[in-house]
Amino acid sequence: MELKDNLDVFGSKHEPYWLSTIERDDYPSLEENLNIDVAIVGGGITGITSAFLLKKAGLKVAVLESTKLFNGTTGHTTAKLTSQHGLIYDRLLNHFGEEKARQYAVANEDAIRFVTELVKEKNIDCDFDILPAYIYTLDEKYLDKIKREVLAANFFGIEASFEENIPLPFKITGAIKFANQAKFHPLKYLLALAKSIPGDGSFIFENTKVVDIEDEEKKPIVVTKDGKKVTASFVIIASHFPFYDGFGLYFTKIHTQRSYAIAVKAKEKLGEGMFLNAETPTRSLRSLTDENGEELILVVGENHKTADQKNTKVHYQNLADFAKSNFTLESILYRWSTQDCMSVDGVPYIGFLTSKNPYILVATGFNKWGMTNSTAAAKIMLDLITKGESPWADIFSPQRFSIFASAPNLVVQNLDVFRKLISGKLTAGSKEEDLKNGEAKVITAEGQKVGAYRDNDGKLYLVDITCTHLGCELVWNDAELTWDCPCHGSRFSYTGENIEGPAFNRLKRLDKEDANVIDPNLV
């Protein structure tokens, strides 16, 4: 292959580096009813870490994953193990006060220490490395924010400093440096934790989709799509976007964002550290060592609200152009995208699902910082289950209410959801017309809006594009070949399969493979 082909971002492997470089164990699906101490819905870093800690504490646990472990956001992460979550600490101090802001800082610094010590204790080979993290700017208007952030981080005991020069191949205006942060291969780390969970009355179940919780006011019963039931003393919802709301109204307090990543090989080495810019568009950089011992540079960014962009392929190209302008590229090897749950005030929701229920816990809204926040979440939920309290519970409580911090975003978010719900219903679909191979459109057939996609072999797939969660109209994602919901982030394959929640039912197929054919002439 010629060099110019190596630099075509769409010629790269369309899979996360992390998933491409591991061999996952197979776990059974749930085949019979079960009684357990703690049922954990979701097999990502939150669910696996929670199960590991709870079993270590002597409880019997069951992890219930709808597909395979780590298929969700955990397998698509940037894998920065850092308490540096953007310019957050000065804002937390001003909005939540010293005590709660300190809880956030301590919880996330503790998460780094926890992973560091566990990697050493269990001798986990997961490419773990201690190094600094930087937030830099090229714009002078961000300098005051960065300097205030240094003061706030130091106030909470984080080793932070202002820097005028950092190890990047371009000149910056200023940066904040956090010392003693870390990077790792998250799935190699989690595979080691997962191996210790099954046995002695504890389980991991894959291909087990949970759709409901019954008797939540007594002893909760988790119900799977196949009708199997798991009775538990406690349930942890670690499914990213909560699959079960319990009148907690999480769909009003969370929105989803997509971001994009490419892994490139360059002639230059990336400087020692992890790097994130303060301005937009977001550009995040970190290195990793591949299976051949060679350095790859991970370039991440291009954030946008799910289904809010018509041309999503451009985001991969923008990252490739940024990489080409700052490094001498030899090849672009991987590309992938991910989806994150964003809370209205920038702090995750970790704790009891509602104030009325002491048996169901939730961890969601990690705001793109899931490696440390999820580890902190597992420790918080361990304390709440075994002790009834946690020293970090207040700042993360799903029942917190800060009108200053939350109300403006809450109003904007829900007006946006309402607008997209209504506009999706009123906008007329395109006239029926032929589709080119590899193309998708919304068409009108017999007065019904239909999502139509023709694959590269010419086969046509027709689906009802009404989201099975709350009825919003789906939007085509041309970078991932999916139908995405602009309201709450559910995503579906072009064949109608649900691939990301909070929806759990598939879309109705309307082509010749389904009994309800719209128009045989279309197929």
Side-chain angles (χ1 to χ4, degrees), residues 172-191:
I172 65 161
T173 304
I176 181 174
K177 173 184 176 181
F178 277 25
N180 299 314
Q181 309 295 289
K183 63 180 181 179
F184 66 153
H185 191 307
L187 304 195
K188 290 181 180 179
Y189 165 76
L190 290 170
L191 283 170

Side-chain angles (χ1 to χ4, degrees), residues 324-344:
K324 290 173 185 177
S325 66
N326 289 290
F327 300 94
T328 308
L329 295 196
E330 296 180 347
S331 58
I332 302 175
L333 299 172
Y334 297 88
R335 77 182 191 278
W336 68 90
S337 66
T338 192
Q339 185 156 294
D340 293 282
C341 290
M342 314 296 289
S343 68
V344 293

